[in-house]
């Protein structure tokens, strides 16, 4: 998640899995709680654990690991019929449209020019969490002021921007170019007046691979290995780090390195699960 401040105006930019912070933060009094289940007896628990792992691997070969029904029901219940234009703060949420093979970014700023993107926050949150191989893609439709329909076939925003910091900065720059009074007299590339806080969702750098071992991998090993998806983890880590490297150099070159902070904590779990 990226928090960007410019002239007392803030933007929250968020994509992908883990915690759906943006969707919750855009509506007051929303608390997403994990599903709690009672623990069964130990022998029964381990027997079911082995069965569930085998079933999970088989499901990932034939379809997504999770059906997403619980997540969708949870978001529908908490976010209700709240649309993007009713967000309490400026938000930028990237997704990826598989019908057009291009990113689709939902932004409160863009609603003035693209009203067809005024979708339900629940639909947007489900879409940006639909990580391939883990959750199914999400389809929904919206209507513009003339009643024309717009169809969306969306998956995880991490495919387009696993580190969405640049998305937030681009949206603010576009807003400045089009003359938003909140940013006067800031120039579109006056990053010295930007304050960017980028929060990563955790990185597992302990999971490393050896070239000799990977040389023997086939397509299934790249897609699924020891409960993870190595190629997905590699793409996600690489794209996120490239954005961080670019912004570090950019802010340093503009003598504003103190205006950019990236926080990424280590974690023991998969970068996507």
């Amino acid at each position: 998640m990226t928090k960007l401040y410019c002239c007392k105006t803030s933007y929250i930019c968020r994509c992908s899995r883990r915690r759906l912070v943006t969707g919750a933060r855009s509506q007051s009094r929303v608390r997403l709680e994990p599903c709690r289940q009672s623990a069964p007896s130990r022998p029964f628990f381990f027997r079911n654990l082995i069965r569930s792992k085998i079933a999970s691997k088989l499901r990932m070969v034939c379809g997504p690991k999770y059906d997403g029904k619980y997540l969708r029901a949870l978001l529908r219940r908490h976010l209700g019929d709240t649309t993007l234009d009713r967000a309490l703060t400026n938000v930028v949420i990237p997704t990826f449209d598989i019908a057009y093979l291009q990113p689709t970014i939902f932004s409160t700023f863009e609603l003035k020019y693209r009203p067809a993107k005024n979708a339900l926050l629940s639909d947007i949150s489900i879409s940006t969490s639909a990580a391939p191989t883990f959750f199914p893609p999400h389809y929904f439709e919206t209507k513009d002021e003339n009643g024309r329909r717009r169809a969306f076939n969306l998956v995880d925003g991490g495919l387009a921007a696993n580190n969405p910091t640049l998305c937030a900065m681009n949206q603010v720059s576009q807003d400045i170019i089009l003359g938003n009074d909140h940013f006067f007299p800031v120039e579109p590339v006056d990053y010295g007046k930007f304050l960017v806080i980028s929060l990563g969702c955790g990185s597992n750098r302990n999971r490393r691979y050896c070239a000799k071992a990977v040389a023997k991998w086939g397509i299934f090993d790249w897609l699924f290995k020891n409960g993870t998806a190595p190629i997905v983890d590699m793409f996600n880590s690489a794209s996120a780090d490239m954005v961080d490297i670019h912004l570090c150099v950019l802010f340093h070159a503009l003598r504003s390195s103190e205006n950019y902070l990236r926080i990424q904590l280590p974690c023991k779990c998969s970068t996507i699960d």
Side-chain angles (χ1 to χ4, degrees), residues 65-85:
K65 184 176 182 179
Y66 308 107
D67 58 19
K69 292 181 179 179
Y70 174 75
L71 176 63
R72 296 183 184 207
L74 188 71
L75 291 171
R76 298 286 191 200
R77 183 170 71 249
H78 285 287
L79 297 177
D81 59 354
T82 305
T83 51
L84 184 59
D85 62 341

Side-chain angles (χ1 to χ4, degrees), residues 199-220:
L199 304 177
C201 59
S203 176
N204 187 355
R205 299 296 182 181
N206 293 325
R207 184 180 293 111
R208 300 174 182 176
Y209 303 97
C210 172
K212 292 182 179 179
V214 174
K216 302 177 183 179
W217 285 6
I219 185 171
F220 289 107

